[in-house]
Amino acid sequence: MRTVVNGCAIATVDGAGTEYPHGHVVIDGDRITAVGAGDFDGPADQVIDGRGCLATPGLVNTHHHLYQWATRGLAQQSNLFDWLVELYPVWAGIDDELVYVTTAAGLGALALSGCTTAADHHYVFPRGSGDLIGTQVEAAGAVGVRLHACRGSMDLGVSQGGLPPDSVVESTDAALAATAEAIERHHDPSPSSRVRVAVAPCSPFSVTSDLMREAASLARAHGVRLHTHLAETVEEDAFCRDRFGCTPVEYAEKLGWLGDDVWLAHGVHLDDGAVARLGATGTGVAHCPSSNARLGAGIARVRDLLDAGAPVGLGVDGTASQEAGELGPELRQAMLVARLRGGPAALTAREALALGTTGGARCLGRDGELGSLEPGKLADLALWRIDGIGHAGIDDPVAALVFGPPARVEALLVGGRPVVRAGRLVHADEDSLARDLTRVSRTLLRKAGR
């Protein structure tokens, strides 16, 4: 099937920064076959009218915790450690139904904000809860977006000096076995893959050194990527220095956790040496500006990381620490917080868009397939409406998208297939998702005595 998008402004986000004030995108099957100026007047099975819109690559979310959609609005004035202590006992009650509902609702919200690929870091597996990664894969298929399922784990409970209660941790061996099973069941390494699995122990304060080390070996034996939280807060930095005698990045390097097959969530508290090591090793960083602001964690050194050569993508993070759950607004937020740290030239609108597209694709190891609008790449495309009152008068379409208010997604294509049309989900009913989300959230909170 051939789909043509005509009449839109286009920001390809390719290596040359190619843009068209009025252009077209041609899609054959699941691949882009042409991008250029003017309208395409050849044969087409479907033509999408892009007038008044900006076409960009679909956004790539590099870090999320979708199950947290059920616990938004809690611990409103807490830092990360206090927030976790309050919420871990609640999360101990999650089940298969809750994970399906929160994953579908969360991915639906992401799609409506321009996201075509989402990495979700799921690390809470109550005993007897079943194949929760498989549940997420099913929900992603129902919404229509690509999923990078990061099979998380925790084996360092409070009785061993960790932060999580013992009731929500696994044994080291059980975590490794379940992670290997998730890879074997669900990972698709093909270029057009809609589901990939990464190995993702949770954090230095919830995972033993043995699990970190063995998880890295497991991932590399299976040819999949590695993901974890690192250097998010000053409390984590102090924990690593006290327990391991080094900084979080030094600790990660000792355990084999730096490399171009690794991306780290947050990377807020990095010294110059850490920035240099991430750049030299090609280790990626998922920048989560709204969550970091909500928890008062600080502002990541995005400009320095980019200058050092490290891949940097954008992450929404869990919606219990970033209640909006949308990726499109993170373009603006990333630009603004970078300027708070480094001044008005610290990050441009186009660099912010690159974080959400090519940068995210690099973090996930998919920059050969995703992240830009170029012939041969997968047809993941967001069409943003920028001709309304919120964007009128901003002649630069990329500036309109990034500097302006959140733009409505007129259309979202994943592999050439529509996932959003006229600002509505194609495959899921938003009202039903909202009702189901309210129901499972209230059930979970009652179970926890909230």
Side-chain angles (χ1 to χ4, degrees):
M1 180 172 180
R2 170 171 284 181
T3 298
V4 173
V5 183
N6 266 339
C8 52
I10 300 173
T12 68
V13 202
D14 64 8
T18 306
E19 297 181 9
Y20 301 98
H22 179 104
H24 65 267
V25 181
V26 180
I27 297 163
D28 286 293
D30 68 349
R31 298 276 170 172
I32 297 169
T33 53
V35 183
D39 286 344
F40 180 80
D41 60 3
D45 299 291
Q46 175 183 218
V47 177
I48 298 174
D49 183 356
R51 287 175 295 178
C53 296
L54 168 68
T56 73
L59 302 185
V60 178
N61 181 18
T62 57
H63 184 67
H64 210 116
H65 307 293
L66 288 162
Y67 73 92
Q68 292 181 11
W69 272 88
T71 54
R72 292 188 293 170
L74 304 178
Q76 294 176 20
Q77 281 75 48
S78 296
N79 66 16
L80 175 66
F81 276 23
D82 292 341
W83 175 87
L84 285 168
V85 167
E86 181 170 341
L87 290 176
Y88 273 138
V90 180
W91 296 336
I94 69 173
D95 58 19
D96 185 77
E97 182 189 22
L98 180 142
V99 169
Y100 183 90
V101 169
T102 53
T103 300
L107 292 177
L110 285 171
L112 289 168
S113 70
C115 178
T116 51
T117 299
D120 188 65
H121 189 185
H122 190 95
Y123 55 83
V124 178
F125 294 89
R127 291 172 182 83
S129 55
D131 180 13
L132 298 184
I133 298 298
T135 298
Q136 291 196 295
V137 170
E138 182 183 356
V143 175
V145 301
R146 300 186 198 276
L147 177 68
H148 278 238
C150 304
R151 205 295 178 179
S153 52
M154 301 188 292
D155 69 338
L156 185 66
V158 67
S159 64
Q160 297 176 276
L163 197 65
D166 291 340
S167 62
V168 299
V169 303
E170 303 172 280
S171 71
T172 305
D173 288 344
L176 291 167
T179 302
E181 184 177 8
I183 297 168
E184 290 160 5
R185 281 189 180 185
H186 305 298
H187 180 66
D188 177 5
S190 69
S192 298
S193 171
R194 287 181 174 250
V195 179
R196 291 194 180 172
V197 176
V199 176
C202 185
S203 66
F205 49 84
S206 61
V207 175
T208 64
S209 300
D210 285 344
L211 179 52
M212 290 289 287
R213 193 178 294 109
E214 291 301 317
S217 297
L218 173 67
R220 286 166 181 146
H222 284 81
V224 300
R225 299 181 76 76
L226 286 157
H227 183 54
T228 192
H229 298 91
L230 203 76
E232 183 176 359
T233 65
V234 293
E235 292 84 7
E236 180 194 329
D237 188 80
F239 178 92
C240 288
R241 290 177 188 274
D242 179 62
R243 189 175 182 95
F244 309 120
C246 59
T247 68
V249 169
E250 289 168 341
Y251 177 61
E253 186 159 29
K254 289 178 182 179
L255 299 175
W257 269 78
L258 297 187
D260 61 5
D261 58 350
V262 179
W263 85 104
L264 308 169
H266 301 292
V268 174
H269 296 278
L270 303 173
D271 59 23
D272 290 346
V275 170
R277 287 304 296 149
L278 296 183
T281 56
T283 304
V285 173
H287 175 41
C288 305
S290 290
S291 176
N292 293 340
R294 199 269 206 197
L295 294 171
I299 300 173
R301 298 176 60 180
V302 170
R303 178 76 269 155
D304 296 334
L305 287 163
L306 292 173
D307 291 344
V312 181
L314 288 182
V316 170
D317 202 10
T319 43
S321 67
Q322 198 277 58
E323 276 74 4
E326 298 179 350
L327 190 56
E330 293 302 297
L331 301 174
R332 185 174 193 265
Q333 187 80 335
M335 182 182 68
L336 295 182
V337 299
R339 292 177 178 208
L340 281 176
R341 184 180 188 101
L347 200 71
T348 69
R350 283 162 177 80
E351 287 174 321
L353 178 58
L355 293 182
T357 53
T358 54
R362 283 186 68 196
C363 285
L364 300 187
R366 301 196 70 172
D367 46 314
E369 306 152 8
L370 304 172
S372 62
L373 300 180
E374 299 180 76
K377 287 202 170 183
L378 290 168
D380 289 12
L381 178 149
L383 193 64
W384 310 85
R385 183 152 294 285
I386 54 170
D387 59 352
I389 190 170
H391 303 91
I394 306 177
D395 289 338
D396 177 348
V398 175
L401 176 66
V402 178
F403 279 90
R408 187 177 93 155
V409 176
E410 185 67 19
L412 190 76
L413 305 180
V414 179
R417 301 177 187 173
V419 172
V420 173
R421 184 185 292 121
R424 301 287 295 181
L425 295 174
V426 172
H427 306 295
D429 179 74
E430 295 160 44
D431 294 335
S432 296
L433 291 176
R435 286 193 298 269
D436 289 344
L437 185 58
T438 299
R439 175 177 52 80
V440 298
S441 176
R442 289 175 177 169
T443 299
L444 179 68
L445 294 174
R446 280 198 302 269
K447 192 186 305 185
R450 301 296 297 256

